[in-house]
Every structure is written in C-alpha cells, then in structure tokens.
Amino acid sequence: MLRTGPGDRFDHCRRRRFRRVLWMSSLPPAPPAQPLLPPEAIEAPGLATALEQVNAQRMLASVAELASDDYAGRRVGTPGGQAAATWLAERLRELGAGVRFDPFGVSSVRELYRTPVLQWSDGEMTRSLAHRREFAEHLASAELPDPRSAPLADLSAADLRGHWVLAPAGDWAQACRRAEAEGAVGVLMARGTDADGWMPKMIAGPARRAVAVIGVRTDLHRQLADALISNNEVRVTASMPLRAVSAGGVNVHGHLPTGLDGPDGAAGGPDRSAGGPRVLLSAHFDGVGDDPGRRLPAAADNASGVAAVLEAARVLRAALTAPVDLSVSFLDAEEAGAWGSAHHASQVPPDTLVINLDGAAQLHQAAAVEAGGPAHALLATLDQAARLTGVPLRAGAMASDNRRYAAAGLAAIGIGMGMPGYQTPAETPDRVEPDTLLAAARLLVATVWLLAQPPRA
C-alpha cells in the first residue's frame, strides 16, 4: 500500500499523478460493528446463504501460501513474484475463469542487494547498528556499495568535504544540498520506527541524490548530535548497497461472468451476464520483497486482500444467479508505484465499477473507504452492503490502486482493513485476523450481489 510521509515514497509523485482523483467523504460516522442480519431481514434473495459460504480457513490458507518462503516477499520482477502470479492464475482457473497474463515494464525499483552497515565511534567506544531496527536505507540515497569511513560533522561546520553529515531533524534535504555541493560522503537523517520497533521497507520514492542518505533511529541520531556537541571526534563507517533497477511486472486477470444456469454456477451453462453491471474486484499481490538474509512475508499487505478477493469470487461464482459481468484483477507492482493498475486502467471499459481491497488483516473500529470518479451510486451500494454484513465504514485515505482507476475516469472505491507489521519482518500470517478476512470477503460478496439485483419498480 502506498503511504505518505516526509521523504517517503510517492510524497512528490502522488501529488502529480493523482491530482485528478475525486475524494469523497459522504459516508456517515461508522456505527459499532454488528453481526450479520438474520436471513429474513436480508431482502436480496439468496444473499444470506451466500454470506455463510465465506470460509475463513480457506482464506487463511491462501495468506499462508503467499507469505511462505517460496515467494520471497513477492517483489515485482523476481522469481517469487512471478511464482505468485502463476499460483493465482491456477486458483482463478479452478473457479472456471478465463485467465490472461498482462505483462508490463517497471523502472526505478529500489533494490537492496546486500545488507548495509553502519557503525560509529567517538574514541572511547564503537557501536555497530542493526539494519532495519536502528537504521535503514533512505529511498533518495545514492549507491554506496562498500563501507566508507569518515569524520562526522553537522551543518555548523565550515567545510563538509570528506565528511558524513548529520542532518538536522526534519531538514535532511538542506543537508543533502550542502553535502552534494561540498563533496561530502553522505547524510545521516533521523527516522522513526513503527510500534514494533521496525523501520518499514519501501521500494519506490523520490529522485535519487548524489550522496548516500541513511535513516538513523531518532534516539541514536540524538546521541550522535550530543557527541558532536561534546567536542568528541566522531567517525562513521557506513555502506548503502542500494540501486535502482528495471523489472518486468505481470497482472493476472480473470473473467467470471455470473448468472449461469445450474445451482452451483458451474461453467457450461449459457452466459446470462449480459445486461448486468460490469464489476471489477482488484487487489495487488506484490510485496516489497525480502531483505538480504531476512524474510518480509507481506502477509497483511497484501496477501490478506488477495485472499479475500479470491474467496469473494469463489462464492459469487457458485451462488449468484443474477446477471453480473464480474472480473478479478490481481495487480503487480503496486509497491513500486501502482504500475500494474496504471497499465490496466486504460484497458477497462468505462462503465466498469471498480472495488479495490488493500489490506484485510486487522479491522479496528471501521474499514477505511475512499471513492473516486463517478462512484456515488457504487458508494451507496457499498454502504448498504456494509449495513447488511455488519461491517462499519469510515471515509479515509486509501492510497492504492483504486486511485489509478479513478484517475482514468472510472467509478472506483478503495477499501482497507488494517495491515499489522506493515512492510517489516513482523508482517506474518499469524497476525492476519480470521474475522477481518470474513468481514472483507462478505462485504465484497454483498456489494456485488446488490449491484446485480434489478432495480425496484
């Protein structure tokens, strides 16, 4: 999922690429979560039975599969990412979908090809820091493949040539400009951690600088500043083996027209989806990829969303008899800049209703919903489905593939239900909540079901 923050990826390019997106805030405050309504209270024929068919264990198995070692974090253009695409295509074919692969190119993906090092000494002690716990790569960093040792200075120094530069908290860009102009080795900036003490990994971001840029945990950054104030000579040794690479992404599209003869929706009956709405359920399947020597399973972001979409498609294919032209798209390279949805959006018929799920792992008070494009009617249907399924909604930013579809003029909604351990080694399958998966899949099933119902007279 795309995130916003000073110096984070997409901080600049989001403003440029997504400025045409319509943000809608018409949803009322979320009510407390409620259980499913009893069958007699749900007017859409068959919907209550269909909702009971949603299977949490099947979704958990999908999450565990995609987060396993075989897929190595599912970064775009890697063998693990390609293996995930193949696995998803097989699952869609099992549902009777017509499946196609849609390849595309991606550029400027940040790749950490060795574990970076960072240590500092003040003449009395030497401390080596742990990558992703105490320091991490900054996406604007130049490549520094081998450790470089040099004195540390702050911006009060008259000459920064041949030094590592300690950037003031909140103003790393100024330090970079001076470091580049005066021939410094690189810049150390302050960076926080998540609640688990990790620095999340990202693989796309701002333009690269001409010097190495390293994020240092805030308290350690303060210790370095104190050491300089004490007039101690501080030396820093660091590397940043980070490069920008091109990669090949691939979207996986499945076409699942529903409304087929037969109680189980099996293929072979006449296609009665003609005349029904055209709906696209989407979720990105890529992750940021493993670090050298360390797993980043990407269970919440976004194996959880993929699992819920896949389960919703299975239930709709088997149970929905009303006509709807249903497609499923598992998108690649969202973590690298939403390349997969940008590639796909221009191919989507203009009357398509898009629902994108990014994160279905830990529903707190309410699911975040962002609507863009001509999505008023779709939003109203989603709200009705949420009331039927007991899923509370709130208007909230969803910086994901939904924005690419909305920017192309499509009615698009993005939904998010939490990502514990976001883009760190702590993003493991055991943190994906079964109840949240159930809530997400049921919300999708109910929304599509209601969209497929004929209007009341």
PDB file of all heavy atoms in Angstrom, residues 36 51-60 304 307-308 311-312 360-361 363 389 391 417 432-445:
ATOM      1  N   LEU A  36     -24.004 -10.296  11.378  1.00  0.00           N
ATOM      2  CA  LEU A  36     -24.816 -10.435  10.188  1.00  0.00           C
ATOM      3  C   LEU A  36     -26.293 -10.343  10.546  1.00  0.00           C
ATOM      4  O   LEU A  36     -26.736 -10.867  11.566  1.00  0.00           O
ATOM      5  CB  LEU A  36     -24.553 -11.787   9.522  1.00  0.00           C
ATOM      6  CG  LEU A  36     -23.247 -11.948   8.758  1.00  0.00           C
ATOM      7  CD1 LEU A  36     -23.082 -13.401   8.352  1.00  0.00           C
ATOM      8  CD2 LEU A  36     -23.242 -11.052   7.535  1.00  0.00           C
ATOM      9  N   LEU A  51     -23.485 -15.496   2.048  1.00  0.00           N
ATOM     10  CA  LEU A  51     -22.560 -14.940   3.027  1.00  0.00           C
ATOM     11  C   LEU A  51     -22.056 -16.014   3.990  1.00  0.00           C
ATOM     12  O   LEU A  51     -20.905 -15.960   4.445  1.00  0.00           O
ATOM     13  CB  LEU A  51     -23.230 -13.812   3.807  1.00  0.00           C
ATOM     14  CG  LEU A  51     -23.596 -12.558   3.002  1.00  0.00           C
ATOM     15  CD1 LEU A  51     -24.338 -11.565   3.873  1.00  0.00           C
ATOM     16  CD2 LEU A  51     -22.358 -11.919   2.386  1.00  0.00           C
ATOM     17  N   GLU A  52     -22.910 -16.966   4.306  1.00  0.00           N
ATOM     18  CA  GLU A  52     -22.487 -18.044   5.194  1.00  0.00           C
ATOM     19  C   GLU A  52     -21.487 -18.986   4.530  1.00  0.00           C
ATOM     20  O   GLU A  52     -20.796 -19.749   5.211  1.00  0.00           O
ATOM     21  CB  GLU A  52     -23.706 -18.826   5.673  1.00  0.00           C
ATOM     22  CG  GLU A  52     -24.629 -18.029   6.590  1.00  0.00           C
ATOM     23  CD  GLU A  52     -23.922 -17.552   7.860  1.00  0.00           C
ATOM     24  OE1 GLU A  52     -22.996 -18.255   8.327  1.00  0.00           O
ATOM     25  OE2 GLU A  52     -24.285 -16.472   8.369  1.00  0.00           O
ATOM     26  N   GLN A  53     -21.386 -18.948   3.207  1.00  0.00           N
ATOM     27  CA  GLN A  53     -20.444 -19.807   2.494  1.00  0.00           C
ATOM     28  C   GLN A  53     -19.004 -19.281   2.520  1.00  0.00           C
ATOM     29  O   GLN A  53     -18.066 -19.993   2.151  1.00  0.00           O
ATOM     30  CB  GLN A  53     -20.890 -19.984   1.045  1.00  0.00           C
ATOM     31  CG  GLN A  53     -22.195 -20.755   0.896  1.00  0.00           C
ATOM     32  CD  GLN A  53     -22.672 -20.815  -0.539  1.00  0.00           C
ATOM     33  OE1 GLN A  53     -21.917 -20.507  -1.462  1.00  0.00           O
ATOM     34  NE2 GLN A  53     -23.918 -21.190  -0.738  1.00  0.00           N
ATOM     35  N   VAL A  54     -18.823 -18.041   2.940  1.00  0.00           N
ATOM     36  CA  VAL A  54     -17.472 -17.468   3.021  1.00  0.00           C
ATOM     37  C   VAL A  54     -16.681 -18.223   4.083  1.00  0.00           C
ATOM     38  O   VAL A  54     -17.122 -18.371   5.216  1.00  0.00           O
ATOM     39  CB  VAL A  54     -17.534 -15.966   3.337  1.00  0.00           C
ATOM     40  CG1 VAL A  54     -16.133 -15.402   3.511  1.00  0.00           C
ATOM     41  CG2 VAL A  54     -18.280 -15.223   2.228  1.00  0.00           C
ATOM     42  N   ASN A  55     -15.489 -18.672   3.724  1.00  0.00           N
ATOM     43  CA  ASN A  55     -14.728 -19.604   4.553  1.00  0.00           C
ATOM     44  C   ASN A  55     -13.415 -18.975   5.005  1.00  0.00           C
ATOM     45  O   ASN A  55     -12.527 -18.709   4.197  1.00  0.00           O
ATOM     46  CB  ASN A  55     -14.455 -20.880   3.746  1.00  0.00           C
ATOM     47  CG  ASN A  55     -13.843 -21.980   4.580  1.00  0.00           C
ATOM     48  OD1 ASN A  55     -12.766 -21.812   5.137  1.00  0.00           O
ATOM     49  ND2 ASN A  55     -14.513 -23.117   4.643  1.00  0.00           N
ATOM     50  N   ALA A  56     -13.292 -18.739   6.309  1.00  0.00           N
ATOM     51  CA  ALA A  56     -12.089 -18.105   6.851  1.00  0.00           C
ATOM     52  C   ALA A  56     -10.865 -18.998   6.704  1.00  0.00           C
ATOM     53  O   ALA A  56      -9.758 -18.505   6.408  1.00  0.00           O
ATOM     54  CB  ALA A  56     -12.297 -17.740   8.313  1.00  0.00           C
ATOM     55  N   GLN A  57     -11.016 -20.295   6.918  1.00  0.00           N
ATOM     56  CA  GLN A  57      -9.861 -21.180   6.840  1.00  0.00           C
ATOM     57  C   GLN A  57      -9.269 -21.229   5.441  1.00  0.00           C
ATOM     58  O   GLN A  57      -8.053 -21.313   5.278  1.00  0.00           O
ATOM     59  CB  GLN A  57     -10.258 -22.584   7.303  1.00  0.00           C
ATOM     60  CG  GLN A  57     -10.605 -22.675   8.775  1.00  0.00           C
ATOM     61  CD  GLN A  57      -9.504 -22.115   9.664  1.00  0.00           C
ATOM     62  OE1 GLN A  57      -8.329 -22.467   9.511  1.00  0.00           O
ATOM     63  NE2 GLN A  57      -9.880 -21.243  10.599  1.00  0.00           N
ATOM     64  N   ARG A  58     -10.117 -21.173   4.449  1.00  0.00           N
ATOM     65  CA  ARG A  58      -9.605 -21.163   3.079  1.00  0.00           C
ATOM     66  C   ARG A  58      -8.802 -19.880   2.815  1.00  0.00           C
ATOM     67  O   ARG A  58      -7.755 -19.906   2.174  1.00  0.00           O
ATOM     68  CB  ARG A  58     -10.766 -21.297   2.097  1.00  0.00           C
ATOM     69  CG  ARG A  58     -10.332 -21.471   0.660  1.00  0.00           C
ATOM     70  CD  ARG A  58     -11.443 -22.021  -0.228  1.00  0.00           C
ATOM     71  NE  ARG A  58     -12.768 -21.596   0.195  1.00  0.00           N
ATOM     72  CZ  ARG A  58     -13.764 -22.444   0.447  1.00  0.00           C
ATOM     73  NH1 ARG A  58     -13.601 -23.741   0.330  1.00  0.00           N
ATOM     74  NH2 ARG A  58     -14.954 -21.984   0.814  1.00  0.00           N
ATOM     75  N   MET A  59      -9.282 -18.765   3.335  1.00  0.00           N
ATOM     76  CA  MET A  59      -8.555 -17.505   3.156  1.00  0.00           C
ATOM     77  C   MET A  59      -7.237 -17.511   3.923  1.00  0.00           C
ATOM     78  O   MET A  59      -6.207 -17.050   3.410  1.00  0.00           O
ATOM     79  CB  MET A  59      -9.436 -16.331   3.583  1.00  0.00           C
ATOM     80  CG  MET A  59     -10.573 -16.062   2.623  1.00  0.00           C
ATOM     81  SD  MET A  59     -11.513 -14.568   3.033  1.00  0.00           S
ATOM     82  CE  MET A  59     -12.547 -15.165   4.383  1.00  0.00           C
ATOM     83  N   LEU A  60      -7.255 -18.026   5.135  1.00  0.00           N
ATOM     84  CA  LEU A  60      -6.005 -18.115   5.902  1.00  0.00           C
ATOM     85  C   LEU A  60      -4.982 -18.987   5.192  1.00  0.00           C
ATOM     86  O   LEU A  60      -3.775 -18.691   5.215  1.00  0.00           O
ATOM     87  CB  LEU A  60      -6.295 -18.665   7.295  1.00  0.00           C
ATOM     88  CG  LEU A  60      -7.023 -17.724   8.258  1.00  0.00           C
ATOM     89  CD1 LEU A  60      -7.441 -18.484   9.511  1.00  0.00           C
ATOM     90  CD2 LEU A  60      -6.145 -16.522   8.628  1.00  0.00           C
ATOM     91  N   SER A 304      -3.518 -10.711   2.403  1.00  0.00           N
ATOM     92  CA  SER A 304      -4.846 -10.737   3.027  1.00  0.00           C
ATOM     93  C   SER A 304      -5.910 -10.231   2.062  1.00  0.00           C
ATOM     94  O   SER A 304      -6.991 -10.824   1.934  1.00  0.00           O
ATOM     95  CB  SER A 304      -4.838  -9.925   4.318  1.00  0.00           C
ATOM     96  OG  SER A 304      -4.596  -8.546   4.068  1.00  0.00           O
ATOM     97  N   ALA A 307      -6.499 -12.802  -0.695  1.00  0.00           N
ATOM     98  CA  ALA A 307      -7.262 -13.946  -0.206  1.00  0.00           C
ATOM     99  C   ALA A 307      -8.749 -13.632  -0.120  1.00  0.00           C
ATOM    100  O   ALA A 307      -9.601 -14.460  -0.471  1.00  0.00           O
ATOM    101  CB  ALA A 307      -6.728 -14.380   1.158  1.00  0.00           C
ATOM    102  N   ALA A 308      -9.091 -12.423   0.341  1.00  0.00           N
ATOM    103  CA  ALA A 308     -10.495 -12.049   0.465  1.00  0.00           C
ATOM    104  C   ALA A 308     -11.151 -11.885  -0.898  1.00  0.00           C
ATOM    105  O   ALA A 308     -12.306 -12.280  -1.097  1.00  0.00           O
ATOM    106  CB  ALA A 308     -10.618 -10.765   1.286  1.00  0.00           C
ATOM    107  N   GLU A 311     -11.708 -15.364  -2.363  1.00  0.00           N
ATOM    108  CA  GLU A 311     -12.823 -16.044  -1.712  1.00  0.00           C
ATOM    109  C   GLU A 311     -14.158 -15.443  -2.146  1.00  0.00           C
ATOM    110  O   GLU A 311     -15.134 -16.176  -2.385  1.00  0.00           O
ATOM    111  CB  GLU A 311     -12.670 -15.969  -0.197  1.00  0.00           C
ATOM    112  CG  GLU A 311     -13.771 -16.641   0.591  1.00  0.00           C
ATOM    113  CD  GLU A 311     -13.801 -18.151   0.447  1.00  0.00           C
ATOM    114  OE1 GLU A 311     -12.896 -18.727  -0.213  1.00  0.00           O
ATOM    115  OE2 GLU A 311     -14.735 -18.776   0.992  1.00  0.00           O
ATOM    116  N   ALA A 312     -14.225 -14.125  -2.258  1.00  0.00           N
ATOM    117  CA  ALA A 312     -15.461 -13.493  -2.719  1.00  0.00           C
ATOM    118  C   ALA A 312     -15.807 -13.952  -4.127  1.00  0.00           C
ATOM    119  O   ALA A 312     -16.982 -14.228  -4.435  1.00  0.00           O
ATOM    120  CB  ALA A 312     -15.320 -11.974  -2.669  1.00  0.00           C
ATOM    121  N   ALA A 360      -6.596  -6.591   4.567  1.00  0.00           N
ATOM    122  CA  ALA A 360      -7.781  -7.158   5.208  1.00  0.00           C
ATOM    123  C   ALA A 360      -7.324  -8.019   6.375  1.00  0.00           C
ATOM    124  O   ALA A 360      -7.702  -9.170   6.500  1.00  0.00           O
ATOM    125  CB  ALA A 360      -8.595  -7.980   4.210  1.00  0.00           C
ATOM    126  N   ALA A 361      -6.490  -7.431   7.233  1.00  0.00           N
ATOM    127  CA  ALA A 361      -5.812  -8.214   8.259  1.00  0.00           C
ATOM    128  C   ALA A 361      -6.178  -7.852   9.680  1.00  0.00           C
ATOM    129  O   ALA A 361      -6.056  -8.688  10.582  1.00  0.00           O
ATOM    130  CB  ALA A 361      -4.299  -8.075   8.093  1.00  0.00           C
ATOM    131  N   LEU A 363      -9.124  -5.377  11.361  1.00  0.00           N
ATOM    132  CA  LEU A 363     -10.167  -4.353  11.391  1.00  0.00           C
ATOM    133  C   LEU A 363     -10.290  -3.816  12.806  1.00  0.00           C
ATOM    134  O   LEU A 363     -10.616  -4.548  13.741  1.00  0.00           O
ATOM    135  CB  LEU A 363     -11.494  -4.961  10.933  1.00  0.00           C
ATOM    136  CG  LEU A 363     -12.698  -4.020  10.886  1.00  0.00           C
ATOM    137  CD1 LEU A 363     -12.455  -2.889   9.902  1.00  0.00           C
ATOM    138  CD2 LEU A 363     -13.957  -4.802  10.515  1.00  0.00           C
ATOM    139  N   THR A 389     -23.972  -6.646   6.340  1.00  0.00           N
ATOM    140  CA  THR A 389     -22.934  -7.567   6.821  1.00  0.00           C
ATOM    141  C   THR A 389     -22.353  -7.166   8.172  1.00  0.00           C
ATOM    142  O   THR A 389     -21.508  -7.886   8.718  1.00  0.00           O
ATOM    143  CB  THR A 389     -21.793  -7.656   5.801  1.00  0.00           C
ATOM    144  OG1 THR A 389     -21.270  -6.345   5.541  1.00  0.00           O
ATOM    145  CG2 THR A 389     -22.262  -8.281   4.504  1.00  0.00           C
ATOM    146  N   VAL A 391     -20.392  -4.549   8.819  1.00  0.00           N
ATOM    147  CA  VAL A 391     -19.032  -4.003   8.702  1.00  0.00           C
ATOM    148  C   VAL A 391     -19.105  -2.481   8.783  1.00  0.00           C
ATOM    149  O   VAL A 391     -19.664  -1.832   7.891  1.00  0.00           O
ATOM    150  CB  VAL A 391     -18.374  -4.421   7.380  1.00  0.00           C
ATOM    151  CG1 VAL A 391     -16.966  -3.816   7.271  1.00  0.00           C
ATOM    152  CG2 VAL A 391     -18.313  -5.934   7.258  1.00  0.00           C
ATOM    153  N   MET A 417      -8.597  -2.598   5.521  1.00  0.00           N
ATOM    154  CA  MET A 417      -8.971  -3.117   6.832  1.00  0.00           C
ATOM    155  C   MET A 417      -7.751  -3.517   7.655  1.00  0.00           C
ATOM    156  O   MET A 417      -7.754  -4.533   8.342  1.00  0.00           O
ATOM    157  CB  MET A 417      -9.921  -4.309   6.681  1.00  0.00           C
ATOM    158  CG  MET A 417     -11.243  -3.980   6.033  1.00  0.00           C
ATOM    159  SD  MET A 417     -12.409  -5.372   6.131  1.00  0.00           S
ATOM    160  CE  MET A 417     -13.800  -4.717   5.227  1.00  0.00           C
ATOM    161  N   VAL A 432      -2.794 -11.995  10.807  1.00  0.00           N
ATOM    162  CA  VAL A 432      -3.983 -11.756   9.980  1.00  0.00           C
ATOM    163  C   VAL A 432      -5.192 -12.365  10.687  1.00  0.00           C
ATOM    164  O   VAL A 432      -5.232 -13.562  10.946  1.00  0.00           O
ATOM    165  CB  VAL A 432      -3.816 -12.364   8.580  1.00  0.00           C
ATOM    166  CG1 VAL A 432      -5.087 -12.190   7.756  1.00  0.00           C
ATOM    167  CG2 VAL A 432      -2.631 -11.723   7.859  1.00  0.00           C
ATOM    168  N   GLU A 433      -6.163 -11.542  10.997  1.00  0.00           N
ATOM    169  CA  GLU A 433      -7.299 -11.965  11.799  1.00  0.00           C
ATOM    170  C   GLU A 433      -8.367 -12.639  10.936  1.00  0.00           C
ATOM    171  O   GLU A 433      -8.832 -12.050   9.944  1.00  0.00           O
ATOM    172  CB  GLU A 433      -7.912 -10.765  12.514  1.00  0.00           C
ATOM    173  CG  GLU A 433      -6.965 -10.081  13.486  1.00  0.00           C
ATOM    174  CD  GLU A 433      -7.544  -8.826  14.099  1.00  0.00           C
ATOM    175  OE1 GLU A 433      -8.593  -8.362  13.612  1.00  0.00           O
ATOM    176  OE2 GLU A 433      -6.946  -8.323  15.067  1.00  0.00           O
ATOM    177  N   PRO A 434      -8.793 -13.841  11.298  1.00  0.00           N
ATOM    178  CA  PRO A 434      -9.853 -14.511  10.530  1.00  0.00           C
ATOM    179  C   PRO A 434     -11.134 -13.689  10.427  1.00  0.00           C
ATOM    180  O   PRO A 434     -11.771 -13.659   9.365  1.00  0.00           O
ATOM    181  CB  PRO A 434     -10.083 -15.814  11.307  1.00  0.00           C
ATOM    182  CG  PRO A 434      -8.826 -16.028  12.085  1.00  0.00           C
ATOM    183  CD  PRO A 434      -8.294 -14.677  12.406  1.00  0.00           C
ATOM    184  N   ASP A 435     -11.516 -13.017  11.498  1.00  0.00           N
ATOM    185  CA  ASP A 435     -12.749 -12.232  11.471  1.00  0.00           C
ATOM    186  C   ASP A 435     -12.661 -11.073  10.487  1.00  0.00           C
ATOM    187  O   ASP A 435     -13.672 -10.689   9.873  1.00  0.00           O
ATOM    188  CB  ASP A 435     -13.072 -11.699  12.869  1.00  0.00           C
ATOM    189  CG  ASP A 435     -13.583 -12.782  13.802  1.00  0.00           C
ATOM    190  OD1 ASP A 435     -13.903 -13.885  13.310  1.00  0.00           O
ATOM    191  OD2 ASP A 435     -13.656 -12.527  15.025  1.00  0.00           O
ATOM    192  N   THR A 436     -11.463 -10.504  10.344  1.00  0.00           N
ATOM    193  CA  THR A 436     -11.304  -9.421   9.377  1.00  0.00           C
ATOM    194  C   THR A 436     -11.395  -9.948   7.953  1.00  0.00           C
ATOM    195  O   THR A 436     -12.008  -9.320   7.083  1.00  0.00           O
ATOM    196  CB  THR A 436      -9.970  -8.695   9.607  1.00  0.00           C
ATOM    197  OG1 THR A 436      -9.958  -8.145  10.927  1.00  0.00           O
ATOM    198  CG2 THR A 436      -9.787  -7.561   8.607  1.00  0.00           C
ATOM    199  N   LEU A 437     -10.791 -11.090   7.691  1.00  0.00           N
ATOM    200  CA  LEU A 437     -10.939 -11.707   6.375  1.00  0.00           C
ATOM    201  C   LEU A 437     -12.408 -11.981   6.061  1.00  0.00           C
ATOM    202  O   LEU A 437     -12.870 -11.717   4.941  1.00  0.00           O
ATOM    203  CB  LEU A 437     -10.136 -13.008   6.317  1.00  0.00           C
ATOM    204  CG  LEU A 437      -8.615 -12.882   6.303  1.00  0.00           C
ATOM    205  CD1 LEU A 437      -7.978 -14.257   6.464  1.00  0.00           C
ATOM    206  CD2 LEU A 437      -8.130 -12.229   5.002  1.00  0.00           C
ATOM    207  N   LEU A 438     -13.131 -12.513   7.025  1.00  0.00           N
ATOM    208  CA  LEU A 438     -14.557 -12.765   6.833  1.00  0.00           C
ATOM    209  C   LEU A 438     -15.301 -11.470   6.532  1.00  0.00           C
ATOM    210  O   LEU A 438     -16.145 -11.414   5.617  1.00  0.00           O
ATOM    211  CB  LEU A 438     -15.145 -13.431   8.074  1.00  0.00           C
ATOM    212  CG  LEU A 438     -14.802 -14.900   8.306  1.00  0.00           C
ATOM    213  CD1 LEU A 438     -15.271 -15.342   9.684  1.00  0.00           C
ATOM    214  CD2 LEU A 438     -15.418 -15.785   7.226  1.00  0.00           C
ATOM    215  N   ALA A 439     -15.009 -10.427   7.286  1.00  0.00           N
ATOM    216  CA  ALA A 439     -15.684  -9.148   7.079  1.00  0.00           C
ATOM    217  C   ALA A 439     -15.415  -8.614   5.675  1.00  0.00           C
ATOM    218  O   ALA A 439     -16.332  -8.136   4.991  1.00  0.00           O
ATOM    219  CB  ALA A 439     -15.225  -8.139   8.129  1.00  0.00           C
ATOM    220  N   ALA A 440     -14.166  -8.695   5.227  1.00  0.00           N
ATOM    221  CA  ALA A 440     -13.806  -8.164   3.915  1.00  0.00           C
ATOM    222  C   ALA A 440     -14.481  -8.940   2.795  1.00  0.00           C
ATOM    223  O   ALA A 440     -15.078  -8.351   1.883  1.00  0.00           O
ATOM    224  CB  ALA A 440     -12.288  -8.202   3.748  1.00  0.00           C
ATOM    225  N   ALA A 441     -14.383 -10.266   2.844  1.00  0.00           N
ATOM    226  CA  ALA A 441     -14.968 -11.070   1.777  1.00  0.00           C
ATOM    227  C   ALA A 441     -16.486 -10.936   1.747  1.00  0.00           C
ATOM    228  O   ALA A 441     -17.099 -10.841   0.678  1.00  0.00           O
ATOM    229  CB  ALA A 441     -14.563 -12.535   1.943  1.00  0.00           C
ATOM    230  N   ARG A 442     -17.133 -10.924   2.920  1.00  0.00           N
ATOM    231  CA  ARG A 442     -18.587 -10.766   2.952  1.00  0.00           C
ATOM    232  C   ARG A 442     -19.007  -9.405   2.431  1.00  0.00           C
ATOM    233  O   ARG A 442     -20.047  -9.278   1.750  1.00  0.00           O
ATOM    234  CB  ARG A 442     -19.086 -10.981   4.382  1.00  0.00           C
ATOM    235  CG  ARG A 442     -19.085 -12.438   4.811  1.00  0.00           C
ATOM    236  CD  ARG A 442     -19.367 -12.599   6.289  1.00  0.00           C
ATOM    237  NE  ARG A 442     -19.519 -14.009   6.652  1.00  0.00           N
ATOM    238  CZ  ARG A 442     -19.519 -14.461   7.890  1.00  0.00           C
ATOM    239  NH1 ARG A 442     -19.365 -13.617   8.912  1.00  0.00           N
ATOM    240  NH2 ARG A 442     -19.660 -15.757   8.130  1.00  0.00           N
ATOM    241  N   LEU A 443     -18.251  -8.372   2.744  1.00  0.00           N
ATOM    242  CA  LEU A 443     -18.576  -7.044   2.229  1.00  0.00           C
ATOM    243  C   LEU A 443     -18.511  -7.023   0.702  1.00  0.00           C
ATOM    244  O   LEU A 443     -19.391  -6.449   0.036  1.00  0.00           O
ATOM    245  CB  LEU A 443     -17.620  -6.012   2.820  1.00  0.00           C
ATOM    246  CG  LEU A 443     -17.838  -4.559   2.377  1.00  0.00           C
ATOM    247  CD1 LEU A 443     -19.219  -4.064   2.807  1.00  0.00           C
ATOM    248  CD2 LEU A 443     -16.738  -3.662   2.947  1.00  0.00           C
ATOM    249  N   LEU A 444     -17.499  -7.659   0.132  1.00  0.00           N
ATOM    250  CA  LEU A 444     -17.390  -7.716  -1.329  1.00  0.00           C
ATOM    251  C   LEU A 444     -18.538  -8.514  -1.931  1.00  0.00           C
ATOM    252  O   LEU A 444     -19.144  -8.099  -2.937  1.00  0.00           O
ATOM    253  CB  LEU A 444     -16.050  -8.343  -1.724  1.00  0.00           C
ATOM    254  CG  LEU A 444     -14.787  -7.573  -1.351  1.00  0.00           C
ATOM    255  CD1 LEU A 444     -13.544  -8.360  -1.756  1.00  0.00           C
ATOM    256  CD2 LEU A 444     -14.765  -6.195  -2.002  1.00  0.00           C
ATOM    257  N   VAL A 445     -18.836  -9.668  -1.346  1.00  0.00           N
ATOM    258  CA  VAL A 445     -19.926 -10.505  -1.862  1.00  0.00           C
ATOM    259  C   VAL A 445     -21.243  -9.733  -1.827  1.00  0.00           C
ATOM    260  O   VAL A 445     -21.995  -9.694  -2.822  1.00  0.00           O
ATOM    261  CB  VAL A 445     -20.042 -11.808  -1.046  1.00  0.00           C
ATOM    262  CG1 VAL A 445     -21.346 -12.547  -1.389  1.00  0.00           C
ATOM    263  CG2 VAL A 445     -18.844 -12.714  -1.318  1.00  0.00           C
TER     264      VAL A 445
END
